[in-house]
Structures are given as C-alpha cells and as structure tokens.
Amino acid sequence: MEDSRFQVQLLEKTEQIEMLLKNYLPAEEGFQKTVLEAMNYSLMAGGKRLRPLLMQETYKLFGGDSQVILPFMAAIEMIHTYSLVHDDLPAMDNDEYRRGRKTTHVVYGEAFGILAGDGLLNYAFETALTALDMPQADAARVGRALSVLARKAGVYGMIGGQTADIEAEEQAAPLTKEQLLFIHEKKTAALIQAAMMVGAILAGASEKAVSKIEKCAYNIGIAFQIQDDILDVVGDSVELGKPVGSDEKNHKQTYVTINGLEQSRKEVALLSEEAVTILADVEGENEFLTKLILMLINRRK
Ligand code: GRG
C-alpha cells in the first residue's frame, strides 16, 4: 500500500471514529449536566483515536464484520480519555494542556476533573455492555472481551502501572530495567493490548491467536511509550498539543534519560518490526494494520 493511500485511509477511518464517538456521547441534561459536559469536552477534544483504530483493524484481521465492535471501540477511547483527564489532575502530573486545549480540570475545576474521569470509566462499561442488545452479539465473546477490558484497565493493568510510575518519581536511585518495563507494560501497553485483544476475541480468534496478539500489542505499547518519551525531548509542542520537556522539568526517569536518544530510537524500530513479524504469523491479513504499526515508529505526535 502506498503511503498516500494509507494516509487517506487513516484520515477517513479517524473521522469515522469521531462520528462514532459523537453518537455514543451522553446527552448533556439533568441535574448532573455539568459532569456530562466535562466528559464530552474531554472525549471530543481530538486525539489520534489509536486504540479504537487498532481494535477495529484487529477485528477485521480475524474476519470480524458486524456492528458488535462499535460500542467497544467507543468504550476503549472513553477509558483512555479518563486516564488522561486524571493524569492531568493537580494530584498527579498537574498539567494544564492536553490535546491542544486546556485540560478538563482547568476548565471545569478539580472536582469535575475527578468526576468526569470517573464518569467516563463507568460509562465505558455501560457502553460496551450495549453490545449484548445487538442481535449479532455472541454473549460468550462479549463476556470475554469485557473481562479483558476490565483487567487491562485495572489494578493489574493501567492503574497498576500508574501506581508504580508515581512511586518511581520519588525514587532517587536509577530505575531498574525491570521497574521501567513494568511501568511501560502496565501504564501504556495494557490498554493497547486490550484494544487489540478485544478486536480478536469479538471476531472469534482462537486462544492461541489472542495470545499472539497480546504479545504483538505489548511490543507496540512499549515502542509507543518510548516514542512518547523521545517526543518529549525532540517533539514540537504545537504538533503534540501539550508542552515538551516535561520529563526533564519533573526530573522523570524515562527510557530516553536512561539509555539516550539513539538507543531509544533503535529500540522503537526493533520492537515495532517484531510486532509486525508476530502479526504476519497469525491467520488473515490486514495491510493497513501493518502500515499503522510501522507508522508509529515515525510519529511526530
Ligand atoms: C490515571 C489510572 C490513571 C492512569 C494514567 C494514560 C496515563 C495513565 C497517563 C498519561 C500519560 C502518559 C504518557 C501515558 C502513557 C500512554 C500515552 C502515551 C498516552 C497518550 O496516548 P496518545 O498519544 O494520546 O494516544 P491521544 O491524545 O492521541 O489520544
């Protein structure tokens, strides 16, 4: 697939996800209107929509072709958005900008930053559960998909990673490789794994194939996080929609501060290529998905 065709498809698919999210937005009404507004403000602030995209493409890779995937695509973006809203709170990273505009707690106040995050997390599961109302739904697959989503977002996944990350900030001694990998795996890769595994499970992939997807997504997640740390050093704040240099400002130890830029770039390329090799080993083919993974190596935002 040519680069220009890939770019056109990427844009089209991202726009379709924007429309999908709009369709799933809760109505801003009632006495709880403010929290609903804050949720919608953060969800519709843009972003690459990478997780729903990876979910949809993995679903297609395994031959999935029904609407059942749609509520799950919206749900994973809601979970991802909640994590960003909470990560920006004064008690965590205390950031003012996200996705090119003021972050939720700056616009709505801290209490609504907390509530909007809580609201998005819960609403994600309410949304995913609507898959069961669809005549095409296979209840056992939906159940397995929900279980993966809950676990990878929870204390054994993203929340666990965030915990280790916050504690690591207080640590003066250099982080061990094991510590750093734990943080990256749980904080970043877990949700990417959930996205791809849910796609595979809903399409009816075998357990063996789901395990391969879990490993593939692990590589993508670690590469994605290292690239995120690289962009914090060499990226452009306008393109990124958030300030750069925050890791240095916060004296944060990252793969880049520990191993340097050159080694980090090599690692991103290596991990991404390995992810593509694993993908080539499962049944089915999805050229767009392969291109998407390779594109992440060179992403600038
Ligand atoms: C608060 C439980 C809790 C978790 C927070 C997601 C997260 C964990 C923290 C945000 C900071 C960060 C660097 C997370 C690692 C994952 C990551 C690179 C998120 C940004 O994802 P993108 O680049 O964002 O896909 P967009 O805005 O494009 O959706």
Side-chain angles (χ1 to χ4, degrees), residues 47-48 51 80 82-84 86-87 92 99 158-159 162 187-188 224-225 228:
K48 294 180 286 299
R51 292 149 193 84
H80 167 58
Y82 118 75
S83 77
L84 301 179
H86 276 188
D87 191 63
M92 297 217 197
R99 293 172 161 175
M158 186 175 68
I159 295 175
Q162 180 77 346
K187 189 174 105 168
T188 311
F224 189 78
Q225 182 58 59
D228 199 66

Side-chain angles (χ1 to χ4, degrees), residues 43-209:
L43 194 60
M44 296 318 293
K48 294 180 286 299
R49 311 308 192 191
L50 180 67
R51 292 149 193 84
L53 200 54
L54 285 170
M55 185 184 282
Q56 186 171 41
E57 294 307 315
T58 311
Y59 183 63
K60 284 190 190 156
L61 170 73
F62 289 101
D65 63 356
S66 96
Q67 308 254 309
V68 172
I69 195 71
L70 302 178
F72 277 90
M73 287 166 62
I76 197 134
E77 190 65 17
M78 288 174 195
I79 296 177
H80 167 58
T81 303
Y82 118 75
S83 77
L84 301 179
V85 171
H86 276 188
D87 191 63
D88 289 342
L89 285 169
M92 297 217 197
D93 271 7
N94 197 14
D95 281 322
E96 264 190 63
Y97 283 91
R98 172 71 67 179
R99 293 172 161 175
R101 51 158 126 165
K102 295 261 183 198
T103 194
T104 314
H105 75 85
V106 173
V107 178
Y108 291 91
E110 196 177 344
F112 285 106
I114 296 170
L115 285 171
D118 294 341
L120 281 168
L121 176 58
N122 206 74
Y123 202 66
F125 285 96
E126 292 177 63
T127 303
L129 274 160
T130 64
L132 287 174
D133 302 332
M134 296 176 168
Q136 321 89 302
D138 176 317
R141 287 183 196 171
V142 171
R144 275 178 63 210
L146 281 166
S147 151
V148 165
L149 192 60
R151 187 154 179 109
K152 295 283 184 190
V155 286
Y156 299 105
M158 186 175 68
I159 295 175
Q162 180 77 346
T163 302
D165 194 32
I166 286 176
E167 286 185 341
E169 279 169 24
E170 303 298 319
Q171 180 178 318
L175 296 190
T176 63
K177 196 169 177 217
E178 194 192 1
Q179 248 182 317
L180 197 64
L181 267 183
F182 178 91
I183 294 169
H184 287 188
E185 177 188 350
K186 303 296 175 184
K187 189 174 105 168
T188 311
L191 217 54
I192 292 177
Q193 288 178 312
M196 295 183 74
M197 289 167 78
V198 164
I201 290 166
L202 290 178
S206 67
E207 284 206 17
K208 203 170 154 205

